[in-house]
Amino acid sequence: MENVLKEGLLAIEACQNLGDLQNVRNEYLSKKGLVTQLMGKMKDLPAEDKPAYGAQVNQIKQSLEAAFKLKEEALQEAAFDVQLQKGKIDLSLPSAMPLVGTLHPLTIVQTEIEQFFMGMGYLVKEGPEVELDYYNFERANIPQDHPARDMQDTFYINAEWLLRTHTTAIQTRTLEAYKGEIPVKVICPGKVFRKDDDDATHSHQFVQIEGLVVGDKISLADLKGTLELLARHLFGEARVIRFRPSYFQFTEPSVEVDVSCHICNGKGCPTCKQSGWIEILGAGMVHPNVLRMAGFDPEKVSGFAFGLGVERVALLKYGIDDIRHLYTNDLRFLNNFRRFE
Ligand code: PHE
């Protein structure tokens, strides 16, 4: 009897896990277990010995049960500790940087220009990228078969429809929508398309922002003042602009606008090809034909228009040497613009 208790206690102690413990419990306390067998032997004893024997076996049974319970708790606790260790979290470790996208440089520049003009009371107008020849050319005073159409190589869809070659198409639509009402004061941003061979400075698709103001006594001086403010906003307070004569079908007179170089302050450097000036946009006074076709009386109202390339501004502003960087979506390039947002 003493051996059963001693060996039982040792066996319990030796258990490594709850499975072992269950085996030992079966060995001792099940219906055919050692303790049950001891109890079975009672019937062979003389009647006077039975109570003492029974009490002793019960004592052993209780001791073993108590030992099982203690061991079970200890093993459960140990198992829990293992679980905790496995799922351990070191709260002092630095966390991973969440990956946050950046605005694309073209979006940054476009938004900046839009906000600049909205601050001066301009409305932002958009239009279709697949456009009628009518709004892209005819309403811009470029009739069928006019040689000026060769200035812009056009993606035609059919005789009537094309991919707009300039956002002047939004201007002609806007003028029509105003039905002769003044003032018109809008900017027209959007993608435009031309059959150009792509290289470091050309792309068959790019973004333009054109501006249009029509009203009472709008003059070339208003245009110059507006564009000078824009140039300073984009390239710094020290900028000045100059007009050079140019030609567009839809403006008369037409000008090419240069900004004093923001890199060398006009002294001459590789960016401005030693000239001190950088060409940034085309502009002019809205042609009387354009006004007339849209229902405005060119004898009573006048207007100016300008058009700039957003890519060109971005290249100049950020010192980017190849327009294709703007389209290839290389994160090493794009992540540089976080600080400009
Ligand atoms: N539409 C012209 C272009 O695409 C730009 C421009 C707009 C010029 C408005 C003058 C006035 O080149």
Side-chain angles (χ1 to χ4, degrees), residues 152 165-166 168 171 194 208 210 248 250-251 282-284 305-307:
Q152 302 179 347
T165 59
H166 51 187
T168 306
Q171 305 204 22
R194 291 183 196 175
Q208 270 192 338
E210 296 201 359
F248 298 104
F250 32 90
T251 48
F306 59 87

Side-chain angles (χ1 to χ4, degrees), residues 9-25 68 71 75:
L9 290 175
L10 284 175
I12 291 168
E13 201 40 54
C15 284
Q16 298 289 335
N17 56 52
L18 291 166
D20 290 352
L21 192 64
Q22 189 55 43
N23 290 338
V24 177
R25 193 196 297 269
F68 273 121
K71 186 67 179 176
L75 286 174

Side-chain angles (χ1 to χ4, degrees), residues 147-185:
R149 289 198 177 202
D150 295 343
M151 281 167 68
Q152 302 179 347
D153 271 324
T154 309
F155 288 111
Y156 276 97
I157 289 165
N158 55 34
E160 220 184 336
W161 292 92
L162 45 75
L163 298 184
R164 70 180 174 208
T165 59
H166 51 187
T167 44
T168 306
I170 310 179
Q171 305 204 22
T172 60
R173 280 178 177 273
T174 304
L175 275 182
E176 181 179 86
Y178 271 73
K179 297 195 172 81
E181 285 283 312
I182 55 164
V184 180
K185 207 171 165 190

